[in-house]
Amino acid sequence: PTRRRWWQASPGYVARARLYRPLDGWLALGFWVFYMVLLWAQGWLLAAGPRWVGQLPHGLAVVGPGVLIELGVIALIIRCRRQSWSDVGLGRTSLLRSGLVGLGLGAVLVVCGAIIPTVIQHASFYQPQFIADQALWFLVWVALPEEIVFRGFIMTHLAGFSRRWSLPTSAVMFGLSHFPFQFAISGLPLESFLAQNSWMILIPTGWGLIYGLLYAKFNHVLGPVIAHALADTASMGISPVAL
């Protein structure tokens, strides 16, 4: 058999993508619009500052219900479409290989993006308890739901429109998804926010391409989840001078 190149999708992913129809593509687009509105609503609640929002750390009083709602809607869609959780990258095939590659990529990001810059600049690392807390937060409440949403659900279901364009399209949608929450909590006019935060769309789009390639390669979200969580921890949870 012909040897697959490193960037090519696994046969399992290709075979599954061929099963999707235009209806699945429309469901992916519709869900993304719903997801964007939900993110804006969460940001607005945090900015408005109701008393109950501050009762849990990290804004979990808002983020937690939001994650449960979005995953619940995905569960409802795949049930109505007579699909399964393996259709959103949660099967058993290639689970270990996907996880190991994601761990390796994440480790490189931690070393190159956080540890080396901190040592070079003679800065101080955050306390171990804080680093562990941030890593757990990014794993459970950021990386896991976002990878299920964008790689497991949106990327594969967009194959109902085009298998070739589902990955880059979902990456752009992933980049755009970093806009509504931050815009809602910023309090800035739209023009000012965009002028100051264009990186907030461009950089996540690039990461979306990388996570998408990793997902398609192994047909499992575990690798992207681990790499995503470690990348976020490296940039925001290890030291104040991380890249």
Side-chain angles (χ1 to χ4, degrees), residues 109-167:
L109 296 173
V110 169
V111 171
C112 297
I115 295 178
I116 291 178
T118 303
V119 172
I120 290 176
Q121 298 184 49
H122 303 287
S124 297
F125 291 97
Y126 293 134
Q127 292 297 316
Q129 182 59 47
F130 178 82
I131 295 174
D133 177 68
Q134 291 293 99
L136 182 62
W137 165 261
F138 285 125
L139 175 64
V140 175
W141 297 107
V142 179
L144 179 60
E146 286 188 356
E147 292 308 311
I148 291 176
V149 166
F150 283 96
R151 258 55 69 181
F153 182 75
I154 290 179
M155 177 175 153
T156 50
H157 282 66
L158 284 177
F161 288 146
S162 170
R163 292 190 298 274
R164 175 177 297 180
W165 292 101
S166 61
L167 193 161

Side-chain angles (χ1 to χ4, degrees), residues 23-84:
L23 175 59
D24 295 296
W26 286 114
L27 287 171
L29 287 177
F31 177 81
W32 179 72
V33 172
F34 166 79
Y35 180 81
M36 296 283 278
V37 173
L38 184 62
L39 287 177
W40 178 86
Q42 292 177 66
W44 179 83
L45 282 172
L46 285 176
R51 182 178 302 175
W52 55 270
V53 170
Q55 293 178 353
L56 292 174
H58 302 294
L60 187 57
V62 170
V63 174
V67 168
L68 295 178
I69 290 171
E70 65 202 39
L71 295 182
V73 172
I74 287 177
L76 179 62
I77 292 174
I78 64 176
R79 180 176 178 84
C80 290
R81 293 291 289 154
R82 297 183 179 180
Q83 297 163 355
S84 69

Side-chain angles (χ1 to χ4, degrees), residues 2 55 66 76 81 94 96 114 122-123 125 139 143 174 177 209 219 222 228:
T2 303
Q55 293 178 353
L76 179 62
R81 293 291 289 154
S94 298
L96 181 59
H122 303 287
F125 291 97
L139 175 64
F174 177 64
S177 74
L209 290 171
N219 196 25
L222 181 60
H228 189 162

